[in-house]
Amino acid sequence: MLALSLLVTDLQKSFGVNKAVDRLTFHAKPGKAFGLLGRNGAGKTTTIRSIIGLISFESGSILWKDKPIKVSRPKIGYLPEERGLYPKVTVIEQLNFFASLERMDKHSANKAIKYWLEKLNIEEYKKKKVEELSKGNQQKVQIISALLHDPELIILDEPFSGLDPVNSDLLSSIIKELLASNKTIIISSHQMHYIERFCEDICILKKGKTVLAGNLNDIKRSYGRNTLIIKSEYNAIKQVGGNVVDKMNNSWTIKVKKEDDAHHIIQELVNNKIKILGYEIKEPTLHEIFIDKVDE
């Protein structure tokens, strides 16, 4: 169903002779995360700013609940890549200000702020100025400002920036909770392992144009299992065919044209009495697919 979701159709936006977004179409579903990907300058930020109404677009449509987004006016939570915080203002004052921009009443704002400060483990810093916080804790404040008004549509641009592994896991759990509560989430990131973790559908942009879009699992299957990873004795792989892409300790990664080639390499190693400690034949990672599609 298209209702209760975001539908972008044939979106176009130019800046002078530069076509920043060229007939972009995608559907972000409720309870799902959608990955909007591309190199710097690919058109991601222009698309996001068009969705949230910061810039106008020339043609196409952006619908929410089957109505133009400017008419339906959903509550949107936006986490920009560049922080939009006031460095010399305290955390609590800042969050109250952001709550007022979302027209939250004082009671609801205080309740939401308390909840998120505790959930992100930064309540002890609420009276500190933002400039006094670490980069990771500043990112947490930015995350709270995007979520405290309980938005329906959430746009996260490089959400894991500045977070250590513990806090990255904390944010991951929050994203899972948001998806479980049927929020529609768009994630833009260069950290492809997070896109693989959360996003069922993706769109990769290059110079404003869509170069790949669809269900991530289907996309991977279309490439086939073309990566062979072998753990074996030192220098064993030098005795077989194949393109050694990477070697680390006693592990080799070899790209093959088709899965049968991987089995032939394994059989040749066995025939040469090379001891194999373990092997795996895998589909390409999203990182590899991304490079394949956007590399000049």
Side-chain angles (χ1 to χ4, degrees), residues 10-26:
D10 288 335
L11 191 70
Q12 294 197 79
K13 175 65 179 179
S14 298
F15 297 99
V17 297
N18 177 36
K19 189 163 285 188
V21 179
D22 189 3
R23 302 185 69 84
L24 173 62
T25 295
F26 68 85

Side-chain angles (χ1 to χ4, degrees), residues 217 220-221 224-227 255 281-285 288:
N217 287 333
K220 284 189 170 187
R221 279 194 291 269
R225 300 207 299 166
N226 63 358
T227 302
K255 285 295 180 185
I281 306 173
K282 299 174 59 177
E283 296 168 342
T285 65
E288 293 168 325

Side-chain angles (χ1 to χ4, degrees), residues 66 103 128 183:
D66 296 334
R103 300 182 180 180
K128 286 187 175 292
K183 305 296 186 183

Side-chain angles (χ1 to χ4, degrees), residues 56-110:
S56 59
F57 51 93
E58 293 153 10
S59 61
S61 64
I62 302 175
L63 304 181
W64 178 262
K65 297 183 180 180
D66 296 334
K67 297 179 181 178
I69 197 165
K70 290 184 178 180
V71 175
S72 54
R73 297 178 63 87
K75 288 195 290 183
I76 300 175
Y78 175 40
L79 175 70
E81 180 179 5
E82 299 296 330
R83 291 187 179 88
L85 302 175
Y86 301 95
K88 297 190 181 297
V89 178
T90 66
V91 170
I92 192 71
E93 290 172 334
Q94 196 141 193
L95 292 176
N96 272 302
F97 171 70
F98 286 127
S100 69
L101 293 180
E102 299 295 340
R103 300 182 180 180
M104 297 178 70
D105 63 77
K106 191 171 183 179
H107 174 74
S108 298
N110 288 339

Side-chain angles (χ1 to χ4, degrees), residues 29-56:
K29 305 168 186 175
K32 307 291 183 182
F34 179 86
L36 184 63
L37 311 175
R39 296 180 67 179
N40 295 333
K44 305 185 302 296
T45 300
T46 298
T47 300
I48 291 170
R49 289 176 176 173
S50 297
I51 293 170
I52 64 181
L54 286 180
I55 61 175
S56 59

Side-chain angles (χ1 to χ4, degrees), residues 62-244:
I62 302 175
L63 304 181
W64 178 262
K65 297 183 180 180
D66 296 334
K67 297 179 181 178
I69 197 165
K70 290 184 178 180
V71 175
S72 54
R73 297 178 63 87
K75 288 195 290 183
I76 300 175
Y78 175 40
L79 175 70
E81 180 179 5
E82 299 296 330
R83 291 187 179 88
L85 302 175
Y86 301 95
K88 297 190 181 297
V89 178
T90 66
V91 170
I92 192 71
E93 290 172 334
Q94 196 141 193
L95 292 176
N96 272 302
F97 171 70
F98 286 127
S100 69
L101 293 180
E102 299 295 340
R103 300 182 180 180
M104 297 178 70
D105 63 77
K106 191 171 183 179
H107 174 74
S108 298
N110 288 339
K111 184 178 179 180
I113 290 170
K114 184 176 187 300
Y115 170 81
W116 284 109
L117 287 173
E118 290 178 352
K119 192 169 186 67
L120 286 168
N121 300 319
I122 55 170
E123 188 176 26
E124 63 184 293
Y125 303 121
K126 65 182 180 182
K127 294 184 179 179
K128 286 187 175 292
K129 295 178 181 179
V130 167
E131 65 182 3
E132 298 174 323
L133 303 183
S134 67
K135 184 178 179 181
N137 283 331
Q138 288 182 25
Q139 181 73 347
K140 288 183 178 183
V141 176
Q142 189 82 60
I143 291 167
I144 293 172
S145 70
L147 300 178
L148 61 85
H149 58 297
D150 192 26
E152 304 164 83
L153 172 61
I154 300 166
I155 302 173
L156 306 175
D157 194 351
E158 297 294 352
F160 294 91
S161 176
L163 298 182
D164 61 34
V166 172
N167 285 313
S168 293
D169 283 350
L170 176 59
L171 178 56
S172 293
S173 69
I174 289 171
I175 292 174
K176 290 177 183 177
E177 290 174 8
L178 293 168
L179 292 172
S181 63
N182 219 36
K183 305 296 186 183
T184 300
I185 300 180
I186 296 174
I187 303 177
S188 181
S189 179
H190 291 133
Q191 295 175 282
M192 297 298 157
H193 57 286
Y194 288 119
I195 299 297
E196 288 191 281
R197 182 181 300 180
F198 298 112
C199 299
E200 291 189 11
D201 297 312
I202 64 165
C203 175
I204 299 178
L205 298 177
K206 180 179 180 180
K207 297 180 180 179
K209 292 182 178 290
T210 300
V211 293
L212 187 66
N215 179 272
L216 181 54
N217 287 333
D218 291 342
I219 290 170
K220 284 189 170 187
R221 279 194 291 269
S222 73
Y223 274 76
R225 300 207 299 166
N226 63 358
T227 302
L228 171 62
I229 300 174
I230 299 175
K231 290 185 178 181
S232 186
E233 296 176 342
Y234 182 70
N235 283 340
I237 307 307
K238 290 184 177 180
Q239 301 179 37
V240 298
N243 178 27
V244 178

